[in-house]
Amino acid sequence: YPGSELVRRMFLMALIAARLPPELLSRIATQSNFAMLLRWRRTSRFFFTSISTHLREWLTSILARFVTDPALLLNVLRLCGAVISGSAALYFFIDDPQWTPNDLDLYVPYESYDGFIEQITDSQGLALMEASQDDDDEPSDGGSSCVLEVRRFSTPLLKKKIDVIRSVSESPIL
């Protein structure tokens, strides 16, 4: 069985990892690539929980560059069926200390778009503000026929660009 050696090693790693201090396990996860994290996640309930927590914390830390309450943004994304795209999504998969994303692209299904905008601009919540746009800095749909509308927002404190893109369909990406 060609893959049995890998499975045996992964199982042994799970047994060892279960005894490691959480800080050390977190550091190992931080140094691992995404594909390896997904493999570890499948090996045991312990790794499923540990790696899922690590990935959620990593996503939260990326979103914290753009909004003051990443957990609230994640909840709104989930409720509206929206997805993160562009450089922030890429950064989630290929952590590179030499580069960080400078904007956040959020694709929202057609029917959820207005409710999504209401949620992110609510003064009691994320309180994002529609950004004034310079001529050279307008949000772009990249010429996609899957995009109906693009609006740019920013947070009052962080001043980061967040493009909210309305899909032409009920799929945020089609």
Side-chain angles (χ1 to χ4, degrees), residues 18-113:
R19 295 192 171 113
L20 292 175
E23 316 80 57
L24 184 55
L25 185 58
S26 178
R27 188 172 171 110
I28 291 169
T30 301
Q31 300 300 316
S32 301
N33 65 36
F34 191 74
M36 181 58 74
L37 292 175
L38 291 182
R39 281 190 205 109
W40 284 352
R41 194 170 174 256
R42 290 189 303 242
T43 61
S44 69
R45 185 170 289 155
F46 170 78
F47 262 132
F48 180 86
T49 302
S50 299
I51 298 303
S52 295
T53 300
H54 170 75
L55 292 174
R56 197 171 17 266
E57 288 170 355
W58 174 233
L59 178 58
T60 299
S61 74
I62 293 169
L63 293 178
R65 300 166 191 248
F66 300 98
V67 296
T68 53
D69 190 345
L72 181 55
L73 178 59
L74 283 170
N75 189 45
V76 174
L77 288 168
R78 196 174 7 264
L79 289 172
C80 294
V83 297
I84 300 166
S85 183
S87 58
L90 179 63
Y91 190 68
F92 179 81
F93 293 103
I94 56 166
D95 177 20
D96 181 352
Q98 305 301 315
W99 170 79
T100 57
N102 58 2
D103 70 341
L104 179 62
D105 297 329
L106 306 173
Y107 279 74
V108 184
Y110 179 84
E111 288 295 326
S112 303
Y113 190 79

Side-chain angles (χ1 to χ4, degrees), residues 141-158:
D141 64 8
S144 172
S145 61
C146 299
V147 172
L148 187 63
E149 177 181 357
V150 181
R151 290 171 64 183
R152 175 160 290 158
F153 295 86
S154 67
T155 53
L157 296 174
L158 301 174

